[in-house]
Amino acid sequence: MPLSRNRHHQALVDKAQQYFPGGSNGNGPLSPEHGFVIASGQGAHVYDPEGRAWLDYLLGSGPMILGHGHPEVVEAVREQLDKGTTFFFLNDKAIELAEAIVEAMPCAEQVRYTSTGSEATFFALRLARAYRGRDKILKFEGGYHGSHDYAMMSTEGTPIRPYPQPRRGSAGIPKSLENEVLIAPFNDLEQTTAIIEAHHDELAAVIVEPFQRALTPVAGFLQGVRALTDKYGLPLIFDEVVTGFRFAYGGAQEHYGVTPDLASVGKIVGGGYPLAAVVGKKEFMAPFVTPDADGMVVGQVGTLNGNPIAAAAGLATLRVLRQPGSYERLHAVGQQVREQLTATLREHGVAGQVIGDGPIFQLIFNERDSVHTYRDTLDHDTDKNRIFHDALLQNGILKSASKGYISLVHSDEDLEETAQVFDKAMAEVAKASTGGQ
Ligand SMILES: Cc1ncc(COP(=O)(O)O)c(C=O)c1O
């Protein structure tokens, strides 16, 4: 049944259609039947303009790991608001947050702020190219590093090409950039090794999501990539925009025990405000200040870099995450949700996999026994996925059609409700699979 909307709510949806191309600000169109406008969020729930609640597994696409309106974050932001909004030059909160990041992340000796994760990966790549004095980067098929030109190569949904050829993942990206990027398969160390062995003398850097989308690295993969990049003196960049402060306080590099040279962080580190950063070992951050052979340093400037309100929110978020038991809870709930969802698949006789790690989960409807590489996800039954996620929305759960994010404020009661809704939604999938028999 489509979601009913009162006049005010429908008028907002209509205005979105009028003022945004495709009715969207880029983050996915509103489902005409089940979509709603979010008017507020509190704890583990978001609310539409009519006051109806949805249990939130989207979490603003990841930043809201403490839930919405966490009192400590709100208080820190309020305090900062009285002191000023943005200054461009250094501010105390940004310096304190940089210190906290360096204390947390194994690879972080220094920090440069940006406003978005996309900018962070963009500058990490520019930095690595300057460091190595070469242009080409290697990224992994299906990996996402934001929406800039270098990042949007062979992203999810672009036509497959033989490795290591890239394919532009968006209209408007210069064709010539396909000459600057090589593509390897995440979790296939053998093929990745062959590509790096063959191209190491043209490469400037390797960038990887250590946990790619929702694919957990297989044993030895990240270690193998680290060994190869060390062997050829290539900067290794971990894109930790998603995993930073989520899988462990020190990010995926702590969780999986592999330290890169540079990393991008975003989402959680800004506490729900626009703040991200390039972090790394001093040696690899040096091109920001040390001129190259042409006498140039890496240019990087941004009006809101290290914004004090965002930094205050980030500091408060990290303070809460440091409390004992936070990561144990996040991992335990993640495990519980993945197990619940797997059980639901089996109970309803629906073929599929639940993948993920830590407080992230994703459902893949396919006939495989396991899913490790991006290509393993390509036979995902998107019709079943749509039916499942429409049913979630209809039953009061908000989740993107891909990853689900878990917060520290999802309660045991919320999880019970979730299990019931998963069951209902899977029943819909099973019904549709048997033609409604
Ligand atoms: C791994 C990864 N890198 C980079 C980005 C880009 O971050 P932003 O959306 O803040 O530009 C994202 C966004 O989801 C991401 O998941």
Side-chain angles (χ1 to χ4, degrees), residues 20-31 38 58 60-61 118 144 147 267 398 400-401:
F20 300 134
S24 150
N25 55 15
N27 298 340
L30 210 59
S31 150
I38 299 176
L58 179 62
S61 194
S118 295
Y144 181 69
S147 49
K267 299 200 191 261
L398 175 64
S400 92

mmCIF file of all heavy atoms in Angstrom, residues 20-31 38 58 60-61 118 144 147 267 398 400-401:
data_model
loop_
_atom_site.group_PDB
_atom_site.id
_atom_site.type_symbol
_atom_site.label_atom_id
_atom_site.label_comp_id
_atom_site.label_asym_id
_atom_site.label_seq_id
_atom_site.Cartn_x
_atom_site.Cartn_y
_atom_site.Cartn_z
ATOM 1 N N PHE A 20 14.456 20.196 -7.555
ATOM 2 C CA PHE A 20 15.663 19.366 -7.693
ATOM 3 C C PHE A 20 15.552 18.554 -8.976
ATOM 4 O O PHE A 20 14.502 17.955 -9.214
ATOM 5 C CB PHE A 20 15.805 18.371 -6.532
ATOM 6 C CG PHE A 20 15.915 18.987 -5.168
ATOM 7 C CD1 PHE A 20 15.167 18.479 -4.112
ATOM 8 C CD2 PHE A 20 16.787 20.031 -4.913
ATOM 9 C CE1 PHE A 20 15.265 19.016 -2.834
ATOM 10 C CE2 PHE A 20 16.906 20.575 -3.641
ATOM 11 C CZ PHE A 20 16.139 20.070 -2.598
ATOM 12 N N PRO A 21 16.623 18.499 -9.772
ATOM 13 C CA PRO A 21 16.582 17.599 -10.926
ATOM 14 C C PRO A 21 16.252 16.186 -10.448
ATOM 15 O O PRO A 21 16.867 15.681 -9.507
ATOM 16 C CB PRO A 21 18.016 17.654 -11.475
ATOM 17 C CG PRO A 21 18.616 18.892 -10.915
ATOM 18 C CD PRO A 21 17.921 19.152 -9.595
ATOM 19 N N GLY A 22 15.250 15.603 -11.054
ATOM 20 C CA GLY A 22 14.860 14.247 -10.651
ATOM 21 C C GLY A 22 14.260 14.200 -9.255
ATOM 22 O O GLY A 22 14.126 13.123 -8.666
ATOM 23 N N GLY A 23 13.899 15.358 -8.711
ATOM 24 C CA GLY A 23 13.310 15.392 -7.373
ATOM 25 C C GLY A 23 14.297 14.988 -6.288
ATOM 26 O O GLY A 23 13.898 14.630 -5.174
ATOM 27 N N SER A 24 15.578 15.054 -6.588
ATOM 28 C CA SER A 24 16.568 14.525 -5.653
ATOM 29 C C SER A 24 17.739 15.483 -5.498
ATOM 30 O O SER A 24 18.106 16.201 -6.434
ATOM 31 C CB SER A 24 17.053 13.181 -6.206
ATOM 32 O OG SER A 24 18.376 12.924 -5.831
ATOM 33 N N ASN A 25 18.369 15.494 -4.321
ATOM 34 C CA ASN A 25 19.586 16.285 -4.156
ATOM 35 C C ASN A 25 20.824 15.442 -4.463
ATOM 36 O O ASN A 25 21.924 15.739 -4.013
ATOM 37 C CB ASN A 25 19.657 16.898 -2.761
ATOM 38 C CG ASN A 25 19.540 15.843 -1.680
ATOM 39 O OD1 ASN A 25 19.689 14.656 -1.958
ATOM 40 N ND2 ASN A 25 19.262 16.246 -0.467
ATOM 41 N N GLY A 26 20.610 14.351 -5.167
ATOM 42 C CA GLY A 26 21.720 13.496 -5.592
ATOM 43 C C GLY A 26 21.797 12.208 -4.791
ATOM 44 O O GLY A 26 22.429 11.252 -5.219
ATOM 45 N N ASN A 27 21.147 12.200 -3.647
ATOM 46 C CA ASN A 27 21.278 11.029 -2.771
ATOM 47 C C ASN A 27 20.106 10.069 -2.930
ATOM 48 O O ASN A 27 19.572 9.557 -1.954
ATOM 49 C CB ASN A 27 21.403 11.478 -1.318
ATOM 50 C CG ASN A 27 22.634 12.329 -1.094
ATOM 51 O OD1 ASN A 27 23.570 12.292 -1.890
ATOM 52 N ND2 ASN A 27 22.655 13.102 -0.046
ATOM 53 N N GLY A 28 19.734 9.831 -4.180
ATOM 54 C CA GLY A 28 18.676 8.862 -4.438
ATOM 55 C C GLY A 28 17.318 9.525 -4.481
ATOM 56 O O GLY A 28 17.016 10.374 -3.635
ATOM 57 N N PRO A 29 16.493 9.169 -5.467
ATOM 58 C CA PRO A 29 15.157 9.757 -5.559
ATOM 59 C C PRO A 29 14.231 9.168 -4.502
ATOM 60 O O PRO A 29 14.460 8.067 -4.009
ATOM 61 C CB PRO A 29 14.699 9.349 -6.958
ATOM 62 C CG PRO A 29 15.462 8.109 -7.273
ATOM 63 C CD PRO A 29 16.736 8.162 -6.495
ATOM 64 N N LEU A 30 13.235 9.926 -4.154
ATOM 65 C CA LEU A 30 12.225 9.466 -3.208
ATOM 66 C C LEU A 30 11.347 8.437 -3.917
ATOM 67 O O LEU A 30 10.902 8.676 -5.039
ATOM 68 C CB LEU A 30 11.380 10.690 -2.845
ATOM 69 C CG LEU A 30 10.730 10.798 -1.498
ATOM 70 C CD1 LEU A 30 11.751 10.756 -0.372
ATOM 71 C CD2 LEU A 30 9.969 12.112 -1.449
ATOM 72 N N SER A 31 11.101 7.307 -3.291
ATOM 73 C CA SER A 31 10.189 6.341 -3.900
ATOM 74 C C SER A 31 8.811 6.991 -3.986
ATOM 75 O O SER A 31 8.294 7.493 -2.987
ATOM 76 C CB SER A 31 10.131 5.078 -3.039
ATOM 77 O OG SER A 31 8.883 4.461 -3.151
ATOM 78 N N ILE A 38 12.046 13.656 5.461
ATOM 79 C CA ILE A 38 12.421 13.567 6.872
ATOM 80 C C ILE A 38 12.373 14.974 7.480
ATOM 81 O O ILE A 38 12.994 15.910 6.970
ATOM 82 C CB ILE A 38 13.815 12.949 7.043
ATOM 83 C CG1 ILE A 38 13.815 11.516 6.470
ATOM 84 C CG2 ILE A 38 14.231 12.941 8.514
ATOM 85 C CD1 ILE A 38 15.152 10.814 6.492
ATOM 86 N N LEU A 58 19.682 3.856 8.141
ATOM 87 C CA LEU A 58 20.401 4.645 7.139
ATOM 88 C C LEU A 58 21.424 5.549 7.863
ATOM 89 O O LEU A 58 22.552 5.710 7.399
ATOM 90 C CB LEU A 58 19.403 5.486 6.334
ATOM 91 C CG LEU A 58 19.941 6.405 5.256
ATOM 92 C CD1 LEU A 58 20.668 5.630 4.158
ATOM 93 C CD2 LEU A 58 18.809 7.224 4.613
ATOM 94 N N GLY A 60 21.824 8.707 8.187
ATOM 95 C CA GLY A 60 22.435 9.792 7.404
ATOM 96 C C GLY A 60 23.537 9.282 6.502
ATOM 97 O O GLY A 60 24.498 9.994 6.228
ATOM 98 N N SER A 61 23.414 8.018 6.058
ATOM 99 C CA SER A 61 24.450 7.333 5.282
ATOM 100 C C SER A 61 25.733 7.159 6.110
ATOM 101 O O SER A 61 26.838 7.197 5.567
ATOM 102 C CB SER A 61 24.739 8.038 3.949
ATOM 103 O OG SER A 61 25.502 7.162 3.121
ATOM 104 N N SER A 118 34.577 12.895 -0.298
ATOM 105 C CA SER A 118 35.039 12.947 -1.698
ATOM 106 C C SER A 118 36.291 13.807 -1.814
ATOM 107 O O SER A 118 37.252 13.432 -2.487
ATOM 108 C CB SER A 118 33.958 13.546 -2.606
ATOM 109 O OG SER A 118 32.836 12.716 -2.632
ATOM 110 N N TYR A 144 34.044 2.525 -3.992
ATOM 111 C CA TYR A 144 33.526 3.893 -4.088
ATOM 112 C C TYR A 144 34.375 4.807 -3.216
ATOM 113 O O TYR A 144 34.589 4.530 -2.035
ATOM 114 C CB TYR A 144 32.062 3.938 -3.620
ATOM 115 C CG TYR A 144 31.440 5.307 -3.716
ATOM 116 C CD1 TYR A 144 31.180 5.882 -4.964
ATOM 117 C CD2 TYR A 144 31.112 6.031 -2.567
ATOM 118 C CE1 TYR A 144 30.615 7.152 -5.058
ATOM 119 C CE2 TYR A 144 30.538 7.299 -2.670
ATOM 120 C CZ TYR A 144 30.298 7.843 -3.906
ATOM 121 O OH TYR A 144 29.734 9.090 -4.001
ATOM 122 N N SER A 147 32.554 11.167 -5.348
ATOM 123 C CA SER A 147 31.995 11.393 -6.679
ATOM 124 C C SER A 147 32.886 12.229 -7.599
ATOM 125 O O SER A 147 32.432 12.709 -8.629
ATOM 126 C CB SER A 147 30.607 12.021 -6.547
ATOM 127 O OG SER A 147 30.657 13.113 -5.665
ATOM 128 N N LYS A 267 32.430 11.103 7.545
ATOM 129 C CA LYS A 267 31.215 10.619 8.228
ATOM 130 C C LYS A 267 31.302 10.787 9.756
ATOM 131 O O LYS A 267 31.063 11.870 10.259
ATOM 132 C CB LYS A 267 30.920 9.172 7.835
ATOM 133 C CG LYS A 267 30.677 9.060 6.296
ATOM 134 C CD LYS A 267 29.927 7.829 5.892
ATOM 135 C CE LYS A 267 29.927 7.594 4.400
ATOM 136 N NZ LYS A 267 28.749 8.005 3.682
ATOM 137 N N LEU A 398 13.689 2.321 7.920
ATOM 138 C CA LEU A 398 14.397 3.047 6.865
ATOM 139 C C LEU A 398 15.784 2.441 6.710
ATOM 140 O O LEU A 398 16.551 2.351 7.672
ATOM 141 C CB LEU A 398 14.515 4.529 7.241
ATOM 142 C CG LEU A 398 15.341 5.398 6.279
ATOM 143 C CD1 LEU A 398 14.689 5.455 4.900
ATOM 144 C CD2 LEU A 398 15.503 6.808 6.836
ATOM 145 N N SER A 400 18.915 1.930 3.354
ATOM 146 C CA SER A 400 19.193 2.069 1.925
ATOM 147 C C SER A 400 19.060 0.686 1.283
ATOM 148 O O SER A 400 19.081 -0.326 1.983
ATOM 149 C CB SER A 400 20.605 2.618 1.701
ATOM 150 O OG SER A 400 21.525 1.563 1.547
ATOM 151 N N ALA A 401 18.939 0.666 -0.024
ATOM 152 C CA ALA A 401 18.774 -0.614 -0.717
ATOM 153 C C ALA A 401 20.068 -1.424 -0.701
ATOM 154 O O ALA A 401 20.089 -2.578 -1.110
ATOM 155 C CB ALA A 401 18.314 -0.380 -2.148
#
